[in-house]
Amino acid sequence: MTKLRILGVDPGSRYTGWGVLDQEGNRLIHIASGRIEAHKEGELPQRLLKIHQGILEVVNAYQPQETAIEKVFVSVNGQATLVLGQARGVALLALVEGGLRVAEYAPNEVKSAVSGQGKAPKEQILAMVRVILNLQGQKISEDQSDALAVAICHANSRTFRNRALQAGN
Amino acid sequence: MTKLRILGVDPGSRYTGWGVLDQEGNRLIHIASGRIEAHKEGELPQRLLKIHQGILEVVNAYQPQETAIEKVFVSVNGQATLVLGQARGVALLALVEGGLRVAEYAPNEVKSAVSGQGKAPKEQILAMVRVILNLQGQKISEDQSDALAVAICHANSRTFRNRALQAGN
């Protein structure tokens, strides 16, 4: 059975979540996940350095074959959007520098893939990520959970694509 | 007389302007300037790669000692702010990866440093950059001009700081 390793990333200027899972047929196996704590680095340029470096380290350590990231919900706060954009830019850069393609999913697609509904609250996502990846009882941060959710969404989306292709043949 | 080499950067997801000048006492000498044309690269991740690579090449080629960038005016268009943020993030990253500190100036500070007034139109900035750096008759793009303007602003700001320190002693 072919195995596919997927990295999901949830960028932020304070915390950047990341999650690696293997897809083997219908099974999703949690490999590793965590968050990069850029807020400790002080000013924005140093934070960007930390986020970029952190994602490069994850890519090198776990060698994902495919990566996924959430499309950003543009907030009414322009300054917050700008800061998030800068964090997201260096995270994306680290992925494409490794030669990886990046799939993007809207927040409601990610929520729907994990919980069956596009407007599920954060706690429900966290609970479902735990169930799907068999992480019950383990402490995982919201950033970590969001990164794993987008990786799960990517895995499902691939599964659907493959099924659709088979059905079409 | 000590010489200081300054790099100014004006990031954008389509065009990223850059300008290098030397400050020798009261003199400002244009060394090189140009723009990175990321829009030809297609999608955002590839554009980010191009911007990051382009700034790294400029830093390696001209070895600036100080760098400056404009603070971003947050537009009402959240999507545009997000895209600009991502471009700015990878440009900043390229500067700090080289160990350089980055000074930031508000748009009105930059305009005022170059033209004497904080609300000068683009054409006036372009004209004044030409005069200050002795580039009359040369074709320079708006992005290039904006990058040189922020470098000039940084040079002036240093001069003022030094004068203020001398006056204070």
Side-chain angles (χ1 to χ4, degrees):
Chain A
M1 192 176 293
T2 53
K3 190 175 77 174
L4 181 82
R5 181 157 290 186
I6 300 168
L7 166 62
V9 177
D10 178 40
S13 69
R14 293 175 56 80
Y15 302 104
T16 291
W18 60 272
V20 180
L21 51 84
D22 280 354
Q23 180 179 31
E24 285 188 37
N26 289 330
R27 289 178 63 210
L28 293 179
I29 303 142
H30 177 259
I31 301 300
S33 54
R35 67 178 186 184
I36 301 159
E37 306 204 347
H39 68 293
K40 294 178 181 167
E41 302 298 313
E43 298 200 20
L44 184 72
Q46 276 62 45
R47 291 186 186 201
L48 298 179
L49 205 55
K50 175 84 175 181
I51 296 165
H52 181 252
Q53 190 59 40
I55 297 291
L56 283 181
E57 283 168 13
V58 168
V59 168
N60 287 334
Y62 299 102
Q63 303 281 327
Q65 294 155 277
E66 299 196 359
T67 72
I69 196 166
E70 214 174 87
K71 280 183 193 157
V72 169
F73 167 75
V74 170
S75 90
V76 288
N77 180 338
Q79 196 55 41
T81 303
L82 180 69
V83 170
L84 175 58
Q86 292 174 93
R88 191 175 198 266
V90 299
L92 269 177
L93 179 72
L95 298 176
V96 293
E97 276 178 324
L100 293 163
R101 290 192 59 197
V102 186
E104 283 189 305
Y105 299 94
N108 62 334
E109 288 179 285
V110 174
K111 287 179 177 171
S112 181
V114 173
S115 72
Q117 58 151 313
K119 294 187 174 181
K122 287 262 182 198
E123 311 80 63
Q124 194 183 340
I125 299 299
L126 190 60
M128 288 306 300
V129 165
R130 275 212 177 89
V131 171
I132 294 167
L133 297 177
N134 203 19
L135 295 170
Q136 285 95 332
Q138 291 188 40
K139 198 177 166 181
I140 56 176
S141 69
E142 219 173 64
D143 313 279
Q144 213 173 334
S145 161
D146 286 347
L148 288 168
V150 73
I152 293 168
C153 176
H154 183 63
N156 286 359
S157 147
R158 286 182 44 87
T159 307
F160 288 135
R161 275 205 303 277
N162 288 342
R163 281 191 197 149
L165 285 173
Q166 283 161 12
N169 281 339
Chain B
M1 191 176 293
T2 53
K3 191 174 76 173
L4 181 82
R5 181 157 290 186
I6 301 168
L7 166 62
V9 177
D10 178 41
S13 68
R14 292 174 56 78
Y15 300 105
T16 291
W18 59 272
V20 180
L21 49 85
D22 280 354
Q23 180 178 32
E24 285 188 38
N26 289 330
R27 289 178 65 210
L28 293 179
I29 303 144
H30 176 261
I31 302 299
S33 54
R35 68 178 185 184
I36 300 158
E37 306 204 349
H39 69 292
K40 295 177 180 168
E41 303 299 313
E43 296 198 23
L44 185 73
Q46 276 62 45
R47 290 186 186 202
L48 298 179
L49 205 55
K50 174 83 176 182
I51 295 164
H52 181 252
Q53 190 58 37
I55 297 292
L56 283 182
E57 283 169 13
V58 168
V59 168
N60 287 334
Y62 299 103
Q63 303 280 325
Q65 294 156 277
E66 300 195 0
T67 73
I69 196 167
E70 215 175 86
K71 281 183 192 153
V72 169
F73 167 76
V74 170
S75 90
V76 288
N77 180 338
Q79 195 53 41
T81 303
L82 179 69
V83 170
L84 175 59
Q86 293 175 93
R88 192 174 196 269
V90 299
L92 270 176
L93 178 73
L95 297 175
V96 294
E97 276 178 326
L100 293 162
R101 292 192 56 200
V102 187
E104 282 190 306
Y105 299 95
N108 62 334
E109 288 179 284
V110 174
K111 287 178 177 171
S112 182
V114 173
S115 71
Q117 58 152 314
K119 295 188 174 180
K122 287 262 182 196
E123 311 79 60
Q124 194 182 341
I125 300 299
L126 189 59
M128 288 307 299
V129 165
R130 276 213 176 89
V131 170
I132 293 167
L133 296 177
N134 202 20
L135 295 170
Q136 286 94 336
Q138 290 188 41
K139 199 176 166 180
I140 55 176
S141 69
E142 219 172 65
D143 314 278
Q144 212 173 333
S145 162
D146 287 348
L148 288 167
V150 73
I152 292 168
C153 176
H154 183 63
N156 285 359
S157 148
R158 286 181 43 87
T159 307
F160 288 135
R161 275 205 303 277
N162 288 343
R163 281 191 198 150
L165 284 173
Q166 284 163 13
N169 279 341

